[in-house]
């Protein structure tokens, strides 16, 4: 039986207010909770059993996915009561694993949208006799990531956390958040305390002479931890820049660059594109234009509204003529008519903005 651990314990603070009511991995991306895409790809790669390492709002995961039978998987849930960091969270679920000590266990971060070939990664791990295998990807600016240099044969030589000086940038290869561990390596992580996989587990393995392999694959890769990245990842799935069998069919064929879900109503004169998703039972009014955005279930976009590269929470309302660019609006918020919100503005859940109360340019009147 091929099994995996899914790390879904983070609070998603960089995505607030979206994560006030919903854990980050359960936010809808291209019409379904993000984890639906990861589970579908894991199943396609032959993984049959997944243990969820939860912490923040753990009940939400099991309420939606249940035992996994409707997804063709066996799902198990383990809650982290005290913060244990990445490796600590992995060790915390070890008692629920069924793999033998020498068998591989795949581990995913619950906020990475990736096209990595999971089956090929597991096969390379086995063929090279590695103790741990990491998916690595190359990025233009690695300063925000952990660097993972390798030798000519792909064996990891060191781990370097988020370099800030030019002389510390020794490679453009970064930890892409997907690993294969021998089960016995997981059992060897100290239990009951915080342990960082990047700062303690991986360097410790190298010091002990373990075989740590880095597999560089330049498939699609995106960390969905920020609103801009979240909107972009959803749009890329809708547009097919990365494929997922979990993306639902659109109910509105006249928009070939948008996804419209069940029950949504879109006025004939509305414009949708650039990978926009209109959530279930949402409404888009006449002459509205929505591009590159995620509109939550039951949200209302009134007539003449312009929305670009933004995320609108469930049940929110955007009043007539309002302009949103690069904005996050929380669940249930009410943004009145004639507002203009730009570049990074975040509206709290259930907040109320009166008509024409916020503008970045001249008065709309």
């Amino acid at each position: 039986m091929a099994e995996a651990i899914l790390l879904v314990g983070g609070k998603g603070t960089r995505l607030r207010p979206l994560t006030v009511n919903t854990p980050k991995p359960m936010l809808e991306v291209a019409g379904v909770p993000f984890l639906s895409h990861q589970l579908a790809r894991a199943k396609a790669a032959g993984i049959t059993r997944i243990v969820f390492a939860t912490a923040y709002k753990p009940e939400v995961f099991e309420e939606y996915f249940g035992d996994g039978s409707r997804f063709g998987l066996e799902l198990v849930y383990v809650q982290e009561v005290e913060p244990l960091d990445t490796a600590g969270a992995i060790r915390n679920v070890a008692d629920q694993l069924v793999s033998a000590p020498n068998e591989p266990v795949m581990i995913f971060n619950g906020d990475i949208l990736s096209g990595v070939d999971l089956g090929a990664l597991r096969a390379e791990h086995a063929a090279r006799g590695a103790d741990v295998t990491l998916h690595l990807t190359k990025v233009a600016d690695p300063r925000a990531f952990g660097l993972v240099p390798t030798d000519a044969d792909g064996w990891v030589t060191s781990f370097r956390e988020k370099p800030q000086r030019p002389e510390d940038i020794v490679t453009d290869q970064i930890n892409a958040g997907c690993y294969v561990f021998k089960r016995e390596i997981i059992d060897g992580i100290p239990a009951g305390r915080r342990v960082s996989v990047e700062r303690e587990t991986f360097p410790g393995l190298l010091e002990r002479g373990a075989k740590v392999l880095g597999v560089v694959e330049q498939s699609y890769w995106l960390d969905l931890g920020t609103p801009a990245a979240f909107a972009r990842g959803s749009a890329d799935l809708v547009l097919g820049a990365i494929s997922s069998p979990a993306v639902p069919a659109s109910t509105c064929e006249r928009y070939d660059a948008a996804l419209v879900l069940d029950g949504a109503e879109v006025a004939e004169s509305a414009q949708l594109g650039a990978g926009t998703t209109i959530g279930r039972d949402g409404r888009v009014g006449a002459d509205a234009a929505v591009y590159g955005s995620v509109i939550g279930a039951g949200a209302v976009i009134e007539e003449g509204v312009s929305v670009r590269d933004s995320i609108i929470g469930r049940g929110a309302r955007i009043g007539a003529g309002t302009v949103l660019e690069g904005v996050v609006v929380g669940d249930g918020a009410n943004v009145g008519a004639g507002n203009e919100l730009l570049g990074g503005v975040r509206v709290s859940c259930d907040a109320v903005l009166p008509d024409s109360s916020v503008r970045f340019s001249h008065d709309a009147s």
Side-chain angles (χ1 to χ4, degrees):
M1 175 183 289
E3 68 179 338
I5 297 170
L6 196 50
L7 300 174
V8 293
K11 291 185 176 181
T13 53
R14 291 183 297 166
L15 283 172
R16 285 183 174 261
L18 299 174
T19 52
V20 168
N21 299 316
T22 306
K24 176 170 58 174
M26 293 300 291
L27 293 171
E28 290 202 352
V29 176
V32 294
F34 175 63
L35 288 189
S36 298
H37 302 293
Q38 289 192 312
L39 295 184
R41 296 192 67 253
K43 180 185 176 185
I47 293 170
T48 56
R49 187 175 190 273
I50 298 178
V51 182
F52 282 54
T54 70
Y56 178 62
K57 295 186 178 295
E59 70 283 355
V60 176
F61 300 96
E62 189 166 4
E63 287 172 1
Y64 185 88
F65 292 110
D67 63 3
S69 56
R70 66 189 174 102
F71 301 92
L73 295 164
E74 179 186 350
L75 302 181
V76 180
Y77 305 86
V78 179
Q79 182 181 357
E80 176 184 311
V81 178
E82 297 293 333
L84 296 172
D85 214 328
T86 45
I90 293 169
R91 178 63 179 85
N92 191 52
V93 308
D95 291 346
Q96 292 297 321
L97 297 174
V98 299
S99 299
N102 202 44
E103 290 181 332
V105 177
M106 188 156 273
I107 300 171
F108 309 95
N109 282 348
D111 55 1
I112 301 294
L113 179 60
S114 170
V116 64
D117 186 331
L118 300 176
L121 190 67
R122 198 167 67 238
E124 186 74 1
H125 172 85
R128 300 291 296 276
D131 295 306
V132 172
T133 298
L134 292 82
H135 171 217
L136 307 180
T137 192
K138 295 178 179 286
V139 295
D141 183 359
R143 288 175 298 176
F145 303 97
L147 306 188
V148 188
T150 54
D151 65 18
D153 295 319
W155 298 107
V156 174
T157 58
S158 66
F159 291 89
R160 304 193 177 205
E161 277 300 296
K162 298 181 180 178
Q164 297 305 310
R165 301 179 304 173
E167 59 266 32
D168 294 331
I169 301 177
V170 298
T171 182
D172 59 355
Q173 297 175 180
I174 68 164
N175 177 355
C178 178
Y179 322 115
V180 186
F181 277 52
K182 280 185 179 178
R183 162 68 190 272
E184 62 189 6
I185 300 295
I186 295 173
D187 291 334
I189 298 170
R193 68 171 177 86
R194 295 183 73 113
V195 185
S196 166
V197 72
E198 300 88 354
R199 290 183 291 275
E200 182 174 345
T201 301
F202 288 155
L205 287 170
L206 291 183
E207 290 173 5
R208 296 194 298 272
K211 299 174 71 175
V212 182
L213 182 66
V215 176
V216 180
E217 190 194 78
Q218 285 304 102
S219 56
Y220 183 102
W221 185 88
L222 186 64
D223 180 343
L224 300 184
T226 67
F230 182 91
R232 176 185 157 197
S234 183
D236 284 346
L237 280 162
V238 172
L239 296 172
I242 175 172
S243 63
S244 168
V247 176
S250 181
T251 62
C252 192
E253 296 182 356
R254 69 178 184 268
Y255 300 108
D256 57 4
L259 172 63
V260 180
L261 300 183
D262 291 343
E265 299 179 6
V266 181
E268 289 286 340
S269 59
Q271 302 174 45
L272 307 180
T276 282
T277 295
I278 307 299
R280 289 169 179 78
D281 301 318
R283 183 165 64 84
V284 182
D287 300 319
V290 187
Y291 290 93
S293 298
V294 179
I295 310 302
V300 175
I301 309 299
E302 295 191 347
E303 61 272 12
V305 167
S306 174
V307 184
R308 288 186 179 272
D309 304 325
S310 297
I311 307 167
I312 311 302
R314 294 172 298 185
R317 171 187 166 273
I318 310 300
T322 283
V323 174
L324 305 179
E325 294 184 11
V327 171
V328 176
V329 177
D331 296 345
N334 189 331
V335 179
N339 283 290
E340 182 185 40
L341 307 180
L342 308 178
V345 168
R346 303 191 188 200
V347 180
S348 298
C349 294
D350 301 313
V352 177
L353 270 64
D355 294 352
S356 301
S357 60
V358 179
R359 297 198 59 85
F360 282 73
S361 61
H362 60 81
D363 192 306
S365 62

